[in-house]
Amino acid sequence: MASPWYLAAIPLGWLFLRWIWDRPQRGLLLVAALVPFNGLLEIAPAWLQVTGWKELLLVLTLAVAAFVPHRPSEPRPALAWWPVGVALCAFGVISAFVTAGTLGLFAIKITFFYFVVVPLILYLRPFTARDRDLLVTIMMVESVGIAAFGVAQQAIGGAGLARMGYEYNETIRFAGGLLRSFSTFNQPFPFAFYLVTVLLVGGSVAMANPRRPRNRMFLMATPILLVGLAATVVRAALVGLLVGVLVLAVVRYRKELKYAVLGGVGLIVVGAFAMSSQARSSLFSSSSLADRGTGWTSVMQSIGSHPFGDGLGSTGAAKARQLVQELGPMAEKLPYATGEVQIYGRPYQPDNYYMKLLIELGPIGLWLFAVILVVIWLMAIRGARTMRGPDSALALGIAASVLACAVSAVASSYFEIFPSDFYFWLLAGVLGCALTQQSASETGARNAVPEQVS
């Protein structure tokens, strides 16, 4: 029996197109509002489980932005990384097709879909100041409820979550006997990284204007987000948050964050002592990092024999999907080698996005991606120092978030974890919109001043 959603696809699609016809930015904002709840599909009835809904909405939004005639819009955003991005995409796409043929399409989608589509929508229909403010509001408001649900999962417990329909070792995970909260996501990792992004971006905007009711309420709710983040037990996210907070403190908010940093350290110490010895040893254990380091060392030693990488999609989720398509259930029983690293039962997952790029695209791909990160970070720091008003605070929050993401990616496959990848490229594009529009407004203001006649 066909899902009611498929039967309603045409009328719903028509309503969506009518809604975004004049302002495709609405489509992007809608996706930004919905993606944090994508994990709820894990327990939704079968007829509600529609895969690919977010990609479909973004493609429809892009089609409207590209092909529907519109009035002259705001200045095009400054996407200074686009030449390097084009080179990375071309290199990655060629690599995927050469090594995997049409099976490489899934790897291309994982790596480049949001990287290309989201900034392209923003280039065609840039976010205005009102759109940017609405995006921040969406992130602030939703994050509080999402974090509260994550905290509540500690009381619900693993058995209660299993009765709700979540699966052990897939969504329900433990660290030393401590449940790792995942809230409305499908795993603890995207939940943790989402909270880090909201804390840094929303926190920067809120501290710049604490008298605004929205900002004041978000600052008051920050402890809920912090407890939710701690409940995920994702160390990469905790380190990323610390790095991001230091950026905010060093650049602008020394006074505001001095006590927050001290309080956060104190909370970590108290929480560590409050944990069971098993959970504490799991959290601070170095064995996991040592195991990863062994694999990373083997990868580094094999680079000489694979200077252009093993091909896009030769590790992680993309390789798992490829093996399933090629071999079916037998894929789970076969070994897979990447360089000198032998991983049995599943493709090698380096848990380090830079190592993943090094394996798949070699030093060239890694260098191209690193250049993109550096360019975006420099743009954000420049915007924080040169722009005025809320956009300046937003740029600083994005700068802190970019550095936090870059650090977190050392111990996670950050840029292929949904919706972390979506939000990263969305904020990078929003930054470009703010930079260009403020520059254009300043130029217009200077030109509007009549020249003095001598």
Side-chain angles (χ1 to χ4, degrees):
M1 180 178 178
S3 166
W5 286 111
Y6 293 110
L7 298 177
I10 294 178
L12 288 176
W14 173 250
L15 289 175
F16 177 75
L17 289 173
R18 287 290 302 271
W19 184 57
I20 68 171
W21 196 262
D22 293 329
R23 299 203 76 251
Q25 296 93 328
R26 293 174 181 170
L28 198 50
L29 287 169
L30 178 64
V31 175
L34 293 178
V35 291
F37 303 98
N38 186 64
L40 293 177
L41 294 176
E42 298 285 331
I43 58 173
W47 61 272
L48 274 175
Q49 296 182 9
V50 181
T51 59
W53 63 269
K54 48 198 179 297
E55 291 87 355
L56 176 60
L57 292 184
L58 288 174
V59 169
L60 290 176
T61 302
L62 178 60
V64 173
F67 300 112
V68 174
H70 60 280
R71 299 181 300 273
S73 59
E74 299 284 344
R76 302 297 188 190
L79 306 178
W81 70 89
W82 77 264
V84 185
V86 170
L88 179 62
C89 285
F91 185 38
V93 169
I94 293 172
S95 171
F97 280 118
V98 168
T99 58
T102 56
L103 293 176
L105 288 172
F106 184 69
I108 295 171
K109 182 261 180 184
I110 289 180
T111 307
F112 295 125
F113 183 80
Y114 300 112
F115 174 76
V116 172
V117 173
V118 173
L120 187 55
I121 292 172
L122 289 170
Y123 178 79
L124 295 170
R125 297 293 179 90
F127 270 14
T128 63
R130 184 177 180 180
D131 294 324
R132 296 192 291 273
D133 186 69
L134 180 56
L135 174 63
V136 173
T137 300
I138 290 171
M139 296 172 66
M140 285 182 173
V141 173
E142 290 187 345
S143 64
V144 177
I146 289 171
F149 180 49
V151 174
Q153 287 175 340
Q154 295 294 320
I156 296 172
L161 292 169
R163 287 193 294 271
M164 293 173 63
Y166 293 107
E167 296 184 12
Y168 282 102
N169 298 324
E170 290 292 332
T171 305
I172 304 173
R173 302 187 179 201
F174 296 86
L178 183 67
L179 175 68
R180 307 178 74 170
S181 294
F182 52 86
S183 190
T184 58
F185 299 81
N186 63 344
Q187 288 186 359
F189 309 101
F191 176 37
F193 295 138
Y194 167 79
L195 289 181
V196 170
T197 298
V198 176
L199 281 166
L200 295 175
V201 175
S204 178
V205 173
M207 285 187 292
N209 183 15
R211 294 185 178 181
R212 183 176 175 180
R214 179 202 68 178
N215 296 344
R216 183 166 62 249
M217 293 178 67
F218 177 76
L219 292 174
M220 293 173 61
T222 296
I224 300 176
L225 274 68
L226 291 172
V227 174
L229 175 60
T232 64
V233 199
V234 177
R235 289 173 290 184
L238 294 172
V239 173
L241 178 63
L242 177 61
V243 171
V245 169
L246 289 176
V247 172
L248 296 180
V250 169
V251 176
R252 184 169 301 169
Y253 301 113
R254 292 183 181 88
K255 182 179 178 181
E256 292 86 350
L257 290 175
K258 178 174 64 176
Y259 298 107
V261 172
L262 293 175
V265 173
L267 183 64
I268 292 173
V269 173
V270 172
F273 280 104
M275 291 179 182
S276 65
S277 59
Q278 184 181 9
R280 187 163 56 247
S281 62
S282 175
L283 179 62
F284 296 103
S285 172
S286 61
S287 60
S288 176
L289 183 61
D291 292 340
R292 295 178 186 180
T294 301
W296 299 344
T297 301
S298 299
V299 171
M300 294 294 293
Q301 293 174 348
S302 67
I303 292 302
S305 59
H306 300 83
F308 297 102
D310 293 336
L312 190 71
S314 57
T315 63
K319 185 62 181 181
R321 171 71 69 89
Q322 179 182 334
L323 288 175
V324 169
Q325 291 180 349
E326 290 179 339
L327 306 173
M330 287 297 296
E332 293 294 328
K333 302 179 181 180
L334 297 179
Y336 172 68
T338 297
E340 299 298 322
V341 183
Q342 298 282 343
I343 302 295
Y344 290 86
R346 63 179 178 85
Y348 175 52
Q349 176 56 268
D351 288 324
N352 179 322
Y353 194 76
Y354 308 111
M355 282 293 167
K356 179 181 183 298
L357 284 177
L358 197 59
I359 294 169
E360 296 186 347
L361 300 179
I364 296 176
L366 177 60
W367 179 80
L368 290 172
F369 187 77
V371 169
I372 293 172
L373 293 186
V374 171
V375 170
I376 295 173
W377 188 79
L378 291 176
M379 287 174 57
I381 286 294
R382 173 192 163 211
R385 291 173 175 169
T386 60
M387 290 193 294
R388 308 178 312 278
D391 282 334
S392 176
L394 176 61
L396 179 56
I398 293 175
S401 177
V402 168
L403 196 56
C405 296
V407 171
S408 298
V410 174
S412 69
S413 54
Y414 186 95
F415 294 96
E416 66 171 17
I417 295 177
F418 178 80
S420 301
D421 50 353
F422 168 82
Y423 270 107
F424 182 90
W425 300 115
L426 173 62
L427 291 172
V430 166
L431 170 67
C433 297
L435 282 169
T436 304
Q437 290 170 16
Q438 282 228 356
S439 176
S441 63
E442 291 173 359
T443 302
R446 285 195 299 267
N447 294 337
V449 177
E451 297 182 359
Q452 295 182 354
V453 180
S454 59

